[in-house]
Amino acid sequence: MSYLKVKGIVLLSFDSKEKDRVSVVLTNNVGKIRVKFRSVKSSTSRRSGYTDDFTMTNILLYKKIDNFIATDLQIVDSFLDVKSILTNYFALSYIRELLILFLPYEQAEGNVFELVYDVLLALRFYSEPEQALLVFIFKFLIQIGIPISFIQDEYSRVYFSAERGGFNCKRGILVSEKIYKEMKEISESGFDKINKKEYFKEIMKLLNLFISYHSDSTKFIDFVENLQKINVG
């Protein structure tokens, strides 16, 4: 048995046994892990808020065989103000899906942890959740090794192809100059320079195609469709 201190952001949780919950947690030093939180399901439990989505917590873990079990806990930030806004909820749902889809378990992802923390702060201090989401996606794709490529030379027509890694001058979906320039601007932006973008829906369609191709997951397509239905409804 060995103990480990981590800072973690809860991504999702599900029930385990009568009073326990198991959470998928993104940590600062051991990557994405499954953690068992004991006696947290009861409404009277002092630990009931620790497994809420996108709660940041200092956790003392011990690992027994292949299981991480939380012992000592301290909430750093619950981000309740962020999660209470509906448009932020859609952005965070999308971000969580990417983290679940692409990150392997127990592989150190310190830069991704900081990126998720940065987007949570951006959603708190800036009023453009759609644009914060776009910035996150571009930075996340870089971190996991599948960045979207842009054209370096002058061009007359621009195409977008997931198979070709992004933008090119030969094949794919024809993209207008305005959308191309807006996507390039976003790819070079930080969370502190978020401005409202005109082509959010068009950009998300291209990004969804790219992510779907590289994840090779029909579940992601279903997720996007369901999220869009909820958003419209």
Side-chain angles (χ1 to χ4, degrees):
M1 183 188 300
S2 59
Y3 285 87
L4 177 67
K5 289 183 178 180
V6 302
K7 184 172 289 184
I9 298 173
V10 176
L11 301 181
L12 60 85
S13 301
F14 49 91
D15 294 342
S16 174
K17 296 186 178 180
E18 186 175 347
K19 295 182 180 179
D20 299 342
R21 301 201 85 192
V22 174
S23 298
V24 178
V25 181
L26 179 65
T27 72
N28 60 327
N29 52 7
V30 288
K32 186 179 73 176
I33 59 175
R34 290 186 181 90
V35 179
K36 178 179 284 187
F37 292 84
R38 289 177 169 169
S39 301
V40 296
K41 284 173 60 178
S42 171
S43 60
T44 60
S45 172
R46 295 176 60 186
R47 294 183 168 189
S48 60
Y50 288 96
T51 58
D52 291 347
D53 293 353
F54 291 97
T55 295
M56 179 181 286
T57 308
N58 287 327
I59 314 172
L60 180 63
L61 302 167
Y62 75 83
K63 188 173 184 180
K64 188 175 182 180
I65 308 176
D66 293 326
N67 298 314
F68 287 99
I69 301 174
T71 57
D72 190 45
L73 302 166
Q74 179 185 18
I75 289 180
V76 177
D77 198 328
S78 62
F79 291 101
L80 288 176
D81 56 328
V82 175
K83 295 180 289 189
S84 64
I85 300 172
L86 184 59
T87 49
N88 288 347
Y89 168 80
F90 290 116
L92 290 173
S93 296
Y94 194 102
I95 288 167
R96 175 175 56 201
E97 189 69 15
L98 293 185
L99 297 170
I100 297 298
L101 188 61
F102 282 103
L103 296 185
Y105 282 94
E106 296 187 44
Q107 181 172 308
E109 298 285 355
N111 290 336
V112 175
F113 177 88
E114 292 300 327
L115 181 59
V116 175
Y117 183 46
D118 286 345
V119 77
L120 285 165
L121 293 178
L123 290 171
R124 169 174 286 164
F125 294 114
Y126 300 97
S127 59
E128 295 295 343
E130 291 180 344
Q131 284 62 51
L133 172 61
L134 292 176
V135 172
F136 175 88
I137 293 172
F138 277 100
K139 292 184 178 299
F140 178 73
L141 292 175
I142 292 172
Q143 290 295 333
I144 62 175
I146 51 171
I148 290 178
S149 61
F150 289 86
I151 299 170
Q152 303 300 319
D153 302 321
E154 292 186 5
Y155 52 88
S156 56
R157 288 190 175 187
V158 176
Y159 299 89
F160 185 86
S161 169
E163 295 88 340
R164 288 173 169 260
F167 291 101
N168 67 91
C169 300
K170 295 181 178 180
R171 194 174 305 159
I173 300 171
L174 184 63
V175 178
S176 73
E177 182 179 353
K178 290 182 178 179
I179 292 176
Y180 174 79
K181 287 184 176 180
E182 194 161 286
M183 290 184 71
K184 194 169 190 304
E185 178 185 336
I186 294 167
S187 73
E188 297 170 350
S189 297
F191 291 113
D192 58 338
K193 295 181 179 179
I194 296 176
N195 300 308
K196 189 172 181 61
K197 299 296 184 285
E198 186 177 354
Y199 300 103
F200 174 77
K201 291 182 178 180
E202 291 83 356
I203 292 171
M204 283 302 301
K205 287 180 180 178
L206 296 177
L207 292 176
N208 287 337
L209 288 173
F210 187 89
I211 292 166
S212 177
Y213 174 81
H214 286 280
S215 66
D216 193 24
S217 171
T218 56
K219 290 183 179 180
F220 177 75
I221 298 173
D222 293 338
F223 162 78
V224 170
E225 291 177 351
N226 290 331
L227 192 64
Q228 289 172 343
K229 290 177 182 177
I230 295 172
N231 197 7
V232 171

